[in-house]
Amino acid sequence: MPAAAPDTTAPDTLDLREEAEDVLRRLVGDPDARLREDQWTAIEALVAGRRRALVVQRTGWGKSAVYFVATALLRARGAGPTVIVSPLLALMRNQIAAAERAGVRAVTVNSTNGEEWGRVFEDVRAGAVDVLLVSPERLNNPGFRDEVLPPLAATTGLLVVDEAHCVSDWGHDFRPDYRRIRTLLADLPEGIPVLATTATANARVTADVAEQLSVSGTRTLEDVLVLRGSLDRESLRLAVLRLPGHAHRLAWLVQHLPQLPGSGIVYVLTVAAAADVANHLRAHGLEAVAYTGQTDPAERLRAEDDLVNDRVKVLVATSALGMGFDKPDLGFVVHLGAPSSPIAYYQQVGRAGRGIADARVVLLPGAEDRDVWRHFASLGFPGEQDVRRALAALAEAGRPLSTQALEAQVDLRRNRLEMMLKVLDVDGAVRRVRGGWEATGREWAYDAERYARVSETRAVEQQAMLDYEATGGCRLEFLRRALDDAEAAPCGRCDNCGGFDVPRDLDEDAVRAAGEDLTRPGVPLEPKKLWPSGMAALGVPLSGKIAAEERPEVGRAVARTTDLGWGGAVRELFAAAAPDQETPVPLRRAAAAVLDDWARELGLDGVVAMSSASRPHLVAHLAEGLARYTGLPLLATFELHPGAGPTRSDVNSAHRLAQVTGRFRLPPGAPVEGRAVLLVDDRTRTGWTLAVAARELRLAGAARVHPFVLADGE
């Protein structure tokens, strides 16, 4: 049965609230600060009722105040330390600083401070720590899980799950590591309060998270206090601006970012776009820095600090800059390309305007958005055959296998393989141990129906994002309804409500400069330097470093398939339904421009062409055309092994290398000895075909090999 509603007029309740608000005033540094009613309701439920609560409130509402105030009150009553599961280092740093203001000592264990873990755990055991922040990935680190987590769960005074929508695979940012929290919840002693918080959960995700909070003992859904508030953000002024092409969108940024208030974020959909857009903005006088999941951690910290302290105008970021980044006076968020769901979009725009009255939010959608969505959607949970193969490999090994060793037996790319293993770990079918992964032998069922429903949900969300772009109604009301906000109403501030007249004028010189930048083809192709692990198990006698005398030089592609400029042309050329054809005229000119810029000083002696089972005409036409353009002889064409058909590129490095090894043969007597060779193919997706072909050429005596392709990427 639900717990009885507390009497908020009782003396003990009044004293507790006054104590809570005293902590709040220290936390925020404001002598007049008072708790919101829902903040107080949550704190009272945690401290007085020792309940489990889910708080769904907009970014900037003050969710962190709930758990820091509750921590101070619980610690004063003899409770153990609070454990906060938090997804990002940026969030941890901000929260530690906030906790100190309230007299709460907070520490963290994460991948960057391993040398401090021993001291941190000693301090926790000694009672000198009030709050321990951990990343969800720590929960499944074998040492942490087996040695630290059990005593921590037994002594914790409050468990906090921040960004709790990550627990749900219906959420826009599901993370398998978060599912480990279910085990932590089940291991908590009875009566330990639990708080889950998020700003981006619709009704389905809220119900799923609440259900997972109720996994311990006799708790039921009725025992989980759910507090959902209005998701209105009074400072946000939203707009959508459709522009004719990529050059116009870049020109808009150059021309109008300086007019936007303060500093802010430009979100892009791909890592390549982040670097390209940041470079373009810097070239036109704007302080801009790229920020992606591939950025060095130290550089990410520096970039965040530069933005917080207004030393840069803009971070050009992928979704890696999302949850937890806290700059209350962030003046704007611009999206160059749309995220795949209104919920993800609301989460990102929520970075702006948390502590100021007026923040600008502009979406500049692109024609390539749906292609990017389809690509990321294709990386969902693997099919049953792949899962069964991984389970069988682990069972047959009879010992732990590392992810790298398992790659040799399961043809999935590493990120998908790791995601699959984490899900299987949470489901109890495998277990992460020192040295890798092992099978548990427990029965496991492939929930195809659930995975299909999740995939269908993603498709619905993509359509909803297109509907958001096209709506003539209130932008913020649309987003709030997507999050099932019962109080959603027209905001009066967006472009459709008449409150934001987004600038539309474009300087012709800026458009021309952007066009020149976009139409400048050519991106480097770095050579492979290590053979994948476990190749002997696939019958390929290659291991360790690739010898320098067997490697190609840094090559060139006309464009990446994710590029804003030439990316569209190569995506169209390699679309699934596109025919095998001659190199299109625009790409011929682009290829010639790359050679003029790159190959002039290489001292090339000839051209060698690859062969293709899927696009033989395209490859032959490209190689012959480049030979004519450069005046170099076509020295040879690699021959395909008889019966070779198209290969799969959506596999890991080990299996891709196994596919292409022995697939091609350099004709006997090919005149390559002592020569510098231009190695031509239509595209590269993993780099292993070029690595194998270059090795064959070097072993045949070629002095240097310079790869050249039209496209880099899927």
Side-chain angles (χ1 to χ4, degrees):
M1 293 292 294
D7 179 1
T8 58
T9 63
D12 287 351
T13 299
L14 294 175
D15 290 345
L16 184 63
R17 180 157 188 168
E18 181 54 40
E19 185 182 350
E21 292 189 329
D22 183 57
V23 176
L24 175 71
R25 287 188 278 271
R26 297 199 307 271
L27 181 71
V28 300
D30 180 357
D32 299 319
R34 293 188 62 82
L35 291 166
R36 304 174 190 271
E37 284 307 311
D38 274 0
Q39 286 177 316
W40 164 241
T41 299
I43 291 167
E44 186 181 29
L46 296 169
V47 177
R50 305 298 173 103
R51 297 186 61 188
R52 297 189 174 191
L54 170 59
V55 174
V56 183
Q57 298 282 2
R58 67 182 182 274
T59 303
W61 175 85
K63 295 182 288 295
S64 61
V66 172
Y67 46 77
F68 283 131
V69 171
T71 293
L73 299 182
L74 287 164
R75 291 288 280 165
R77 286 155 178 76
T82 292
V83 176
I84 301 176
V85 182
S86 187
L88 293 180
L89 298 182
L91 184 61
M92 292 181 183
R93 291 190 300 275
N94 292 330
Q95 290 180 331
I96 289 172
E100 289 174 352
R101 292 195 296 269
V104 174
R105 188 189 174 202
V107 295
T108 177
V109 291
N110 58 70
S111 59
T112 69
N113 70 342
E115 71 284 354
E116 301 175 14
W117 288 13
R119 178 180 53 78
V120 167
F121 295 141
E122 259 189 47
D123 289 348
V124 170
R125 284 190 292 269
V129 169
D130 300 310
V131 172
L132 176 65
L133 294 107
V134 301
S135 67
E137 291 77 16
R138 284 308 101 207
L139 300 180
N140 204 28
N141 173 277
F144 187 89
R145 182 196 63 212
D146 298 336
E147 299 164 19
V148 177
L149 200 55
L152 193 61
T155 59
T156 188
L158 169 66
L159 174 65
V160 177
V161 182
D162 212 352
E163 305 296 350
H165 60 274
C166 296
V167 172
S168 173
D169 56 8
W170 302 106
H172 75 276
D173 196 20
F174 166 63
R175 301 185 181 194
D177 287 304
Y178 257 80
R179 297 301 288 268
R180 177 59 54 189
I181 293 169
R182 292 176 63 119
T183 304
L184 180 55
L185 288 166
D187 290 342
L188 287 177
E190 187 69 21
I192 299 301
V194 177
L195 172 66
T197 68
T198 180
T200 48
N202 58 17
R204 180 195 288 256
V205 173
T206 298
D208 190 20
V209 174
E211 183 178 356
Q212 295 189 53
L213 287 179
S214 66
V215 299
S216 178
T218 59
R219 294 180 186 274
T220 64
L221 283 177
E222 288 75 19
D223 287 314
V224 178
L225 173 67
V226 178
L227 297 170
R228 278 187 65 98
S230 167
L231 298 179
D232 189 19
R233 291 290 306 278
E234 295 179 0
S235 64
L236 297 185
R237 298 176 183 270
L238 285 76
V240 175
L241 179 59
R242 291 188 176 278
L243 294 170
H246 305 312
H248 298 78
R249 293 191 292 159
L250 279 181
W252 190 95
L253 293 177
V254 169
Q255 188 172 343
H256 294 293
L257 282 185
Q259 303 165 9
L260 294 178
S263 54
I265 302 169
V266 170
Y267 277 109
V268 294
L269 298 183
T270 67
V271 171
D276 291 345
V277 173
N279 288 338
H280 183 81
L281 295 179
R282 282 197 301 273
H284 291 82
L286 283 162
E287 300 95 352
V289 176
Y291 185 108
T292 75
Q294 295 181 16
T295 305
D296 180 81
E299 291 181 20
R300 287 205 299 270
L301 293 179
R302 187 162 50 248
E304 291 170 14
D305 191 62
D306 285 344
L307 183 60
V308 166
N309 292 288
D310 297 317
R311 289 190 290 269
V312 296
K313 177 67 177 180
V314 61
L315 289 191
V316 183
T318 63
S319 59
L321 183 68
M323 295 180 297
F325 180 76
D326 184 16
K327 177 176 168 61
D329 62 343
L330 194 79
F332 63 87
V333 169
V334 177
H335 278 76
L336 196 67
S340 59
S341 83
I343 300 172
Y345 184 64
Y346 178 86
Q347 192 269 332
Q348 290 179 351
V349 303
R351 306 267 65 81
R354 297 172 63 169
I356 54 177
D358 184 3
R360 305 302 169 108
V361 174
V362 181
L363 171 60
L364 305 174
E368 75 283 357
D369 293 354
R370 276 174 272 191
D371 291 334
V372 177
W373 298 347
R374 277 192 290 270
H375 170 70
F376 287 119
S378 71
L379 304 179
F381 194 72
E384 183 171 7
Q385 185 177 2
D386 291 321
V387 181
R388 297 292 179 195
R389 191 178 297 119
L391 290 173
L394 289 172
E396 290 167 8
R399 58 180 175 81
L401 291 180
S402 67
T403 306
Q404 294 92 326
L406 197 55
E407 274 186 312
Q409 303 185 52
V410 182
D411 55 353
L412 291 172
R413 288 188 177 178
R414 184 167 300 182
N415 60 345
R416 293 190 75 201
L417 178 59
E418 289 179 339
M419 183 271 285
M420 179 190 76
L421 289 167
K422 289 176 180 179
V423 171
L424 292 175
D425 189 356
V426 172
D427 290 345
V430 305
R431 176 178 169 83
R432 189 178 177 190
V433 296
R434 286 186 173 88
W437 304 86
E438 64 181 11
T440 64
R442 287 179 54 181
E443 188 70 23
W444 181 82
Y446 187 88
D447 195 346
E449 183 179 347
R450 182 175 181 83
Y451 301 139
R453 290 201 308 271
V454 171
S455 180
E456 290 166 6
T457 299
R458 298 290 182 264
V460 170
E461 289 174 345
Q462 290 178 13
Q463 183 57 52
M465 195 65 217
L466 298 175
D467 294 342
Y468 170 79
E469 296 172 11
T471 186
C474 174
R475 304 279 184 196
L476 190 58
E477 181 183 19
F478 187 103
L479 296 179
R480 292 173 66 187
R481 290 192 184 282
L483 281 152
D484 297 315
D485 183 354
E487 300 178 26
C491 69
R493 303 181 301 274
C494 69
D495 56 347
N496 287 339
C497 288
F500 181 14
D501 186 14
V502 62
R504 298 172 180 271
D505 58 304
L506 288 175
D507 180 79
E508 290 185 7
D509 289 338
V511 175
R512 185 161 45 251
E516 290 172 356
D517 204 9
L518 287 167
T519 55
R520 188 176 298 112
V523 294
L525 295 176
E526 295 293 335
K528 298 288 188 183
K529 296 181 179 179
L530 286 171
W531 299 115
S533 302
M535 295 310 303
L538 296 174
V540 179
L542 297 171
S543 64
K545 290 184 178 180
I546 302 176
E549 62 272 15
E550 296 179 5
R551 290 202 304 255
E553 309 299 315
V554 176
R556 286 294 186 276
V558 170
R560 293 174 292 247
T561 54
T562 54
D563 283 348
L564 296 176
W566 284 101
V570 295
R571 283 195 303 273
E572 183 178 339
L573 179 64
F574 293 108
D580 183 21
Q581 58 185 295
E582 293 185 350
T583 314
V585 172
L587 284 173
R588 296 180 205 176
R589 293 171 179 160
V594 173
L595 287 180
D596 289 344
D597 180 59
W598 165 62
R600 189 182 303 275
E601 308 299 328
L602 294 182
L604 295 171
D605 298 310
V607 176
V608 172
M610 296 303 300
S611 291
S612 171
S614 57
R615 288 182 170 81
H617 185 46
L618 173 64
V619 177
H621 183 264
L622 175 65
E624 292 163 2
L626 292 176
R628 285 195 301 272
Y629 180 76
T630 58
L632 296 170
L634 183 60
L635 300 174
T637 297
F638 272 90
E639 298 171 351
L640 273 176
H641 189 278
T647 59
R648 289 177 57 191
S649 61
D650 60 336
V651 295
N652 60 48
S653 292
H655 280 264
R656 179 62 179 170
L657 177 58
Q659 285 181 352
V660 300
T661 299
R663 176 178 171 81
F664 303 96
R665 185 177 76 108
L666 188 66
V672 298
E673 186 170 359
R675 299 192 174 192
V677 171
L678 185 71
L679 175 62
V680 177
D681 204 353
D682 55 350
R683 66 171 163 176
T684 181
R685 289 174 285 191
T686 65
W688 289 114
T689 295
L690 294 176
V692 168
R695 180 173 183 266
E696 289 295 310
L697 287 165
R698 296 301 305 274
L699 291 175
R704 285 178 283 117
V705 178
H706 300 271
F708 180 86
V709 298
L710 293 174
D712 177 17
E714 294 293 338

